[in-house]
Amino acid sequence: MKGYDPLAIESKWQKIWEERGVFKVERDVHKPKYYVLEMFPYPSGRIHMGHVRNYTLGDIVARVKRMKGYNVLHPMGWDAFGLPAENAALKQGIHPAKWTYSNIEYMKIQLKKLGFSYDWDREFATCDPEYYKFEQRFFIELYEKGLAYRSKSLVNWCESCQTVLANEQVEEGKCWRCGEVVTVKEMEGWFFKITQYAEELLEDLKKLDGYWPEKVILMQRNWIGKSEGAEINFYVPLIDKQITVFTTRPDTLFGVTFLALSPEHPLALEIAEATSLREKLLEFRERVRRERKKIEEELVEKEGFYLGAYALHPLTKEEIPLYTANFVLMEYGTGAIMGVPAHDQRDFEFAQKYRLPIKVVIKPETQELQPESMESAYEGSGVMVNSGEFTGLASEEGKRKIVEKLEALGLGKRKITYRLRDWGISRQRYWGCPIPMIYCERCGIVPERLENLPVILPLNAQIDSRGRSPLPELKEFVETTCPRCGGKGRRETDTFDTFVESSWYFARFTCPKDPQPLNKEDVAYWLPVDQYIGGIEHAILHLLYARFFTKALRDLGYLHIDEPFKRLLTQGMVIKETYKCPKHGWIYPEEVSSDGFCLKEGCGEKVLVGKPEKMSKSKCNVVDPDRLIEKYGADTVRLFVSFAAPPEKDLEWSDHGIEGAYRFLRRIYNLVAENADLLREVSFSEEEFKELTPPAKKLRRKLHQMVKKVHQDFEERMHFNTGIASIMEFINFLQDSLKELDLRDETNRKLLKEALEKTLLCLSPVCPHICEELWQRLGNESLIAQESFPQWSEELIKEETITLVIQVNGKVRDQIEVASGLAKEEALELVMQLPKIQKYLKNKTIKNVVFVPDKLINIVVD
RNA sequence: GCGGGAGUGGCGGAAUGGUAGACGCUCCGGACUUAGGAUCCGGUGGGGUUAUCCCCGUGGGGGUUCAAGUCCCCCCUCCCGCACCA
């Protein structure tokens, strides 16, 4: 008998699955559908452990749902545009397209080796014009609806990537991709009007409640950042114009002692010109821009200057000095604020610095505020004071009343403001989807005609050595005719942010070959995605964009759904401990001696063991999926990544752990292989299990308990680790029982066959190859991949006897085996006779007896 | 600063308010072996006694309850997200 040979088994079954088209799927209105999707990868070159984990989780879900009778859509493709391809081109002299496609080819082989049940017929790469032509079409349609527009604005610029970044793509002042410090620059570019959907994006988060991780919902809610307040107008006599401020605290209107405008505010410039402070303002503006994305350290100190003019308080008509200040953002609200030092900490700090008056208008319930002695602003609620006719009102009520008054006077109105900004999508990059717009001297900005799409990204471009996009230099691309007047036109040379491609790929997977962008019947049947699985790092970026795109495509008539992803699972990272040598920096585990010294170049320094961190090449703590598969096989790798931690938690890599997984599969393999000959011809039915010995009954009970537990954990809770644990537990039990089970007895053989088959069925979503092989060895001609999830019987699960725990005053004192279903009185009677218990009850009076049927009895004494 | 999450053996992790530590790893002991880093069997939270039992134990302190890892309040630590958003 040969031992477990994973590689032979795995390639054998992968081939059979492929030949028989087991995972191909078509729309079938007579079957319930299930769409499970994992975030598709960027083809960076090789699969990493994060992918393995992500796709294993998805594959388990897909296989379980298939076993439950669903028509399962489980596709895979490539998020193929992006900067790394250009960087590789620069470094290795390979064209981005060639680099990308050869990576795809290699990674596809890797995915296939892992035995994922994808319908590969649906595969596509987003850099294919057959994909992005529809994206261009969507863009033009959105443009025509006013949902895409071109505008000049301050943008985040990454010098190293030579491109602008959306707000969501700046993390702690640095580029999300390369970590370069982001600067602020004024540029023209294209935007999607995501803000038009701000309220809906916020409101619909409620629909995801309970289905998405709370954390993600919360992050999105914060990102959208709704705040309710008012816009209030202050008249500026000098220029005969109003300045509008946004505030969430209209109740503090009587506490205003200054107004502050963003240095970017157009009226700031206008006033400065009128007061001969133009130069000073421009200089200040420049400096603030430079300091805007502060680098690491704490906030830049508040700073500003008096603009030499005043505004009139809308209600008191007092003169309020006008300042410009670095902490007022042009992008939020109206770009101007009313300064209420007594009740806003920022205003307080600014007022202190420039010796502006502090006027208390809200009195807290418990204390008296004295402007001279205040050390910080009081930002809470309270009773209004010094506020004219509003004095004495509760601040909450005052908010309403003041806004009503301003509205009546035409000096203000209620206003809701969002932190979310429009999505800037222009990238000054080559390897992306061309933006299908044309600049005509006569007609201005004109979209390309739909029938001329796609605007194909020219592949004959020479990659610029300075890292700039070659597109603007490419005459045959740039020079074109205006689709409207036929005159000379210039093509837009910016390309889309690559997040645009991933904003609708899930929809295209339902009809990847359709001549229409989205086939009505296919999207109606398949969407939304029932289960989406990916990393938490996309909590905002990708998931927000995709939600927006879904709504926008709905409003264009392409989709019928409001939300793209019904359920979301965000899996944790794969982490591993790191090793650092004082001399050599990060080193590989192989470079550390068994007693912890650096072996590199005979170095001998003591190696520092770092805590587990996300796997990365630079920290030398990666493990290569290819090598693991080669050594243990895909099933072992899949088993380990789904067993070692629950999906949403970080998974700590363990060399010993994967050995354990391998050991378990070997045990199962040997167990079945040893008995296969004996069991091949055995058949069984429920009828034949009517009369069983107590140990046989117990075995079946454990089996059915296990099946139920696996079902709950795999299908409902998605806690694969505990489901697998219960399979292991059952196998342990089965092997123990086998010592006593005489297999010359036919019933026992039937029993064993049932146990093994059901176990294999349960394990098959996790380790499909070995289960397929052993299923066959047990004499089955069907594919386990096409079998149903095993049934269990609640009747069989019931225990005949249970362990009754006996407590005295809440402490466990004894336990006895009793028949299940025992009544309280009977139990008490039994328990009272136990010497151990009598010991504790001696000279005590029983005050209470708590009885939990089939669980415990607690005797309370004084 | 604001918001969120988490603290359970040597480790990863289990536990609808009902025997804390399932399952796996590590480690220890034993068996089989020329050998084992293979396989199998047994043990493995701490302390005390070992025939048996007993005490302590889920970051710390209170509380609710017959009963708390689980619910409530306060505190500590760590992780994550946002960060002048008016």
Side-chain angles (χ1 to χ4, degrees):
Chain A
M1 192 199 316
K2 277 172 73 184
Y4 176 39
D5 179 0
L7 295 189
I9 290 173
E10 289 171 6
S11 59
K12 167 183 166 186
W13 290 102
Q14 283 161 14
K15 202 168 150 233
I16 291 174
W17 293 329
E18 186 156 349
E19 281 166 2
R20 301 201 198 164
V22 174
F23 306 120
K24 293 201 189 322
V25 64
E26 288 305 325
R27 167 160 49 89
D28 178 355
V29 290
H30 303 296
K31 271 176 92 180
K33 67 96 183 182
Y34 196 89
Y35 184 178
V36 53
L37 181 67
E38 302 107 55
M39 292 180 183
F40 66 164
Y42 177 77
S44 57
R46 299 173 78 82
I47 296 292
H48 55 67
M49 285 309 293
H51 293 126
V52 173
R53 186 180 195 197
N54 190 173
Y55 302 157
T56 298
L57 296 173
D59 200 49
I60 296 172
V61 173
R63 287 177 182 267
V64 168
K65 290 293 175 183
R66 236 175 253 125
M67 293 178 94
K68 296 293 294 180
Y70 289 93
N71 195 28
V72 173
L73 176 56
H74 189 214
M76 183 43 71
W78 310 96
D79 190 12
F81 273 135
L83 200 49
E86 287 183 72
N87 293 337
L90 212 61
K91 249 208 234 151
Q92 307 167 27
I94 313 170
H95 191 276
K98 200 178 164 207
W99 184 82
T100 301
Y101 279 107
S102 82
N103 285 348
I104 288 174
E105 199 183 340
Y106 185 75
M107 290 168 80
K108 188 172 171 181
I109 292 170
Q110 289 188 298
L111 291 182
K112 288 198 165 182
K113 277 197 291 189
L114 281 156
F116 297 135
S117 61
Y118 298 124
D119 177 357
W120 282 107
D121 284 357
R122 290 171 185 266
E123 175 193 9
F124 58 75
T126 57
C127 61
D128 184 344
E130 286 304 302
Y131 178 79
Y132 68 66
K133 70 181 181 188
F134 299 122
E135 193 165 303
Q136 294 175 335
R137 174 165 163 175
F138 295 149
F139 177 82
I140 290 168
E141 291 181 19
L142 290 171
Y143 172 75
E144 279 159 358
K145 271 197 106 179
L147 287 168
Y149 64 94
R150 184 170 173 83
S151 141
K152 190 185 236 185
S153 70
L154 289 180
V155 295
N156 310 299
W157 177 261
C158 174
E159 186 60 29
S160 134
C161 297
Q162 285 285 310
T163 190
V164 303
L165 300 168
N167 284 304
E168 294 84 359
Q169 296 163 9
V170 181
E171 292 165 353
E172 294 176 339
K174 294 177 185 171
C175 174
W176 71 286
R177 193 188 299 106
C178 70
E180 175 84 14
V181 172
V182 170
T183 54
V184 174
K185 206 169 163 177
E186 195 169 36
M187 270 181 87
E188 280 220 355
W190 289 97
F191 289 84
F192 279 138
K193 222 178 208 172
I194 189 169
T195 53
Q196 186 154 322
Y197 289 87
E199 185 58 36
E200 198 191 334
L201 286 167
L202 184 69
E203 193 56 27
D204 281 355
L205 287 173
K206 288 180 188 152
K207 295 181 186 167
L208 308 174
D209 211 17
Y211 301 99
W212 278 35
E214 250 176 89
K215 184 187 166 92
V216 176
I217 293 178
L218 201 84
M219 280 168 74
Q220 292 222 351
R221 181 163 285 135
N222 291 341
W223 190 264
I224 295 166
K226 179 178 183 172
S227 63
E228 297 183 50
E231 281 186 358
I232 302 175
N233 302 329
F234 288 73
Y235 177 67
V236 185
L238 178 69
I239 54 169
D240 187 29
K241 280 187 181 161
Q242 311 256 17
I243 286 175
T244 304
V245 303
F246 173 72
T247 178
T248 54
R249 293 297 301 274
D251 52 317
T252 64
L253 181 57
F254 285 80
V256 175
T257 58
F258 67 96
L259 291 192
L261 278 69
S262 162
E264 304 285 346
H265 199 293
L267 290 183
L269 185 62
E270 199 172 327
I271 293 163
E273 278 167 354
T275 56
S276 311
L277 289 168
R278 184 190 146 88
E279 288 311 311
K280 189 173 178 187
L281 179 74
L282 292 180
E283 205 177 284
F284 182 63
R285 191 170 80 180
E286 265 318 300
R287 195 154 55 78
V288 171
R289 273 187 198 178
R290 279 200 306 275
E291 291 170 354
R292 254 294 288 292
K293 299 281 169 189
K294 77 248 141 176
I295 312 153
E296 268 150 45
E297 68 265 50
E298 269 310 280
L299 304 175
V300 176
E301 200 186 332
K302 288 182 183 47
E303 202 188 331
F305 64 87
Y306 178 51
L307 284 169
Y310 61 87
L312 295 180
H313 190 286
L315 297 182
T316 67
K317 304 300 172 198
E318 274 176 286
E319 295 183 354
I320 312 285
L322 283 166
Y323 278 72
T324 182
N326 61 349
F327 67 94
V328 183
L329 309 172
M330 191 60 217
E331 303 87 358
Y332 185 78
T334 60
I337 60 151
M338 60 182 212
V340 185
H343 304 294
D344 183 287
Q345 186 57 28
R346 294 156 302 181
D347 299 348
F348 183 84
E349 287 166 24
F350 191 77
Q352 289 226 309
K353 178 157 180 178
Y354 294 102
R355 307 201 169 280
L356 290 161
I358 294 169
K359 189 177 165 196
V360 172
V361 291
I362 303 290
K363 182 188 170 307
E365 299 218 344
T366 51
Q367 48 171 320
E368 205 66 45
L369 293 178
Q370 297 300 333
E372 313 78 55
S373 60
M374 285 172 78
E375 279 171 15
S376 64
Y378 173 74
E379 297 185 323
S381 57
V383 177
M384 295 174 64
V385 292
N386 294 323
S387 296
E389 59 185 288
F390 302 98
T391 297
L393 290 179
S395 48
E396 278 311 307
E397 195 188 353
K399 276 184 192 173
R400 273 202 316 278
K401 288 270 165 68
I402 287 193
V403 176
E404 278 167 22
K405 170 109 183 187
L406 291 168
E407 279 177 339
L409 295 170
L411 293 171
K413 59 178 189 215
R414 290 191 46 191
K415 174 77 182 176
I416 291 167
T417 296
Y418 301 89
R419 200 184 85 113
L420 182 71
R421 321 258 166 81
D422 279 340
W423 174 16
I425 49 167
S426 290
R427 295 290 178 273
Q428 293 67 40
R429 299 306 330 162
Y430 164 67
W431 190 237
C433 170
I435 301 176
M437 301 302 271
I438 290 154
Y439 301 97
C440 167
E441 279 169 27
R442 234 183 309 169
C443 312
I445 299 174
V446 186
E448 181 57 274
R449 288 167 181 272
L450 293 184
E451 59 267 31
N452 291 346
L453 297 182
V455 175
I456 293 186
L457 182 71
L459 294 182
N460 60 350
Q462 279 292 312
I463 296 303
D464 180 284
S465 60
R466 289 160 303 180
R468 287 209 217 133
S469 167
L471 282 184
E473 314 297 329
L474 217 64
K475 277 195 184 142
E476 64 268 40
F477 178 76
V478 175
E479 291 173 5
T480 185
T481 52
C482 170
R484 193 168 296 161
C485 70
K488 258 190 170 175
R490 283 183 55 82
R491 271 196 201 287
E492 170 66 68
T493 56
D494 284 353
T495 51
F496 284 136
D497 180 359
T498 57
F499 278 106
V500 179
E501 283 90 65
S502 53
S503 290
W504 68 285
Y505 78 109
F506 55 89
R508 185 65 185 169
F509 271 142
T510 67
C511 53
K513 306 274 188 329
D514 204 277
Q516 289 303 304
L518 295 169
N519 177 294
K520 280 244 149 44
E521 288 164 281
D522 281 321
V523 295
Y525 176 71
W526 289 114
L527 291 181
V529 174
D530 293 281
Q531 180 67 59
Y532 197 34
I533 307 174
I536 185 80
E537 65 273 19
H538 292 109
I540 301 199
L541 292 170
H542 162 58
L543 290 170
L544 189 67
Y545 295 148
R547 293 183 61 223
F548 157 68
F549 230 76
T550 300
K551 293 171 193 299
L553 288 181
R554 175 200 61 198
D555 293 345
L556 290 180
Y558 288 107
L559 294 178
H560 60 292
I561 50 167
D562 299 321
E563 287 292 332
F565 313 120
K566 191 168 166 195
R567 295 172 67 104
L568 174 69
L569 175 68
T570 49
Q571 103 264 6
M573 294 181 296
V574 182
I575 57 175
K576 187 175 185 297
E577 63 183 13
T578 54
Y579 303 97
K580 204 171 192 177
C581 162
K583 260 197 222 158
H584 293 95
W586 304 109
I587 54 175
Y588 289 100
E590 304 85 70
E591 296 167 332
V592 183
S593 69
S594 53
D595 50 351
F597 293 93
C598 180
L599 297 173
K600 211 168 178 174
E601 299 162 351
C603 159
E605 292 272 358
K606 182 81 186 155
V607 171
L608 297 163
V609 181
K611 64 175 177 182
E613 287 189 68
K614 181 175 182 169
M615 287 186 172
S616 77
K617 278 185 204 148
S618 60
K619 289 187 177 158
C620 303
N621 65 339
V622 289
V623 292
D624 177 23
D626 272 354
R627 280 167 65 180
L628 291 175
I629 295 169
E630 221 170 281
K631 190 166 175 193
Y632 302 105
D635 283 334
T636 295
V637 178
R638 294 170 57 122
L639 179 64
F640 176 75
V641 297
S642 33
F643 174 66
E648 61 279 359
K649 284 190 74 168
D650 284 351
L651 172 82
E652 195 179 329
W653 181 256
S654 157
D655 291 330
H656 292 298
I658 195 156
E659 289 282 350
Y662 190 46
R663 198 173 306 151
F664 173 70
L665 290 188
R666 247 182 349 230
R667 265 173 65 207
I668 287 219
Y669 182 90
N670 291 334
L671 179 62
V672 178
E674 278 163 17
N675 294 293
D677 289 338
L678 202 57
L679 300 177
R680 193 162 300 125
E681 304 299 328
V682 173
S683 64
F684 56 88
S685 70
E686 199 57 38
E687 277 302 298
E688 296 166 294
F689 293 132
K690 278 252 164 82
E691 310 279 329
L692 290 177
T693 59
K697 263 190 174 167
K698 188 174 177 192
L699 179 63
R700 285 202 90 208
R701 184 163 60 242
K702 293 270 183 199
L703 172 66
H704 282 246
Q705 284 171 344
M706 181 272 284
V707 172
K708 181 181 181 181
K709 171 82 173 147
V710 170
H711 182 267
Q712 284 174 340
D713 285 351
F714 281 13
E715 210 206 349
E716 293 156 25
R717 297 200 320 156
M718 297 222 273
H719 279 200
F720 309 112
N721 56 330
T722 51
I724 293 166
S726 69
I727 297 176
M728 291 175 167
E729 202 177 349
F730 178 71
I731 288 292
N732 291 345
F733 178 80
L734 180 64
Q735 284 195 313
D736 274 350
S737 324
L738 228 42
K739 290 177 205 155
E740 263 113 67
L741 218 59
D742 185 354
L743 291 180
R744 285 169 301 187
D745 179 271
E746 200 192 344
T747 309
N748 285 346
R749 288 202 299 272
K750 290 175 188 291
L751 215 58
L752 178 60
K753 184 153 183 180
E754 185 202 22
L756 291 177
E757 285 197 347
K758 289 203 156 135
T759 306
L760 291 176
L761 286 164
C762 284
L763 184 64
S764 69
V766 183
C767 307
H769 312 87
I770 187 175
C771 292
E772 201 75 81
E773 174 71 18
L774 296 176
W775 181 253
Q776 186 187 48
R777 297 234 193 149
L778 283 176
N780 291 291
E781 281 169 16
S782 64
L783 290 173
I784 206 166
Q786 292 176 314
E787 282 292 321
S788 296
F789 197 86
Q791 303 282 323
W792 70 90
S793 150
E794 289 292 340
E795 199 52 43
L796 288 175
I797 283 174
K798 278 193 198 135
E799 298 280 353
E800 287 175 353
T801 66
I802 55 99
T803 309
L804 186 72
V805 172
I806 304 148
Q807 299 182 329
V808 177
N809 280 352
K811 291 203 173 199
V812 179
R813 293 305 179 187
D814 203 354
Q815 41 193 300
I816 47 170
E817 280 292 309
V818 296
S820 67
L822 195 71
K824 181 176 178 179
E825 291 72 24
E826 299 169 281
L828 187 61
E829 205 173 309
L830 271 173
V831 164
M832 296 298 283
Q833 287 163 17
L834 298 169
K836 273 191 207 167
I837 300 304
Q838 283 174 350
K839 192 171 92 191
Y840 286 100
L841 297 184
K842 218 171 176 180
N843 303 327
K844 300 276 165 73
T845 7
I846 295 177
K847 281 170 65 185
N848 192 13
V849 176
V850 179
F851 181 69
V852 183
D854 290 348
K855 275 256 167 69
L856 70 84
I857 186 162
N858 184 10
I859 302 164
V860 186
V861 297
D862 58 5

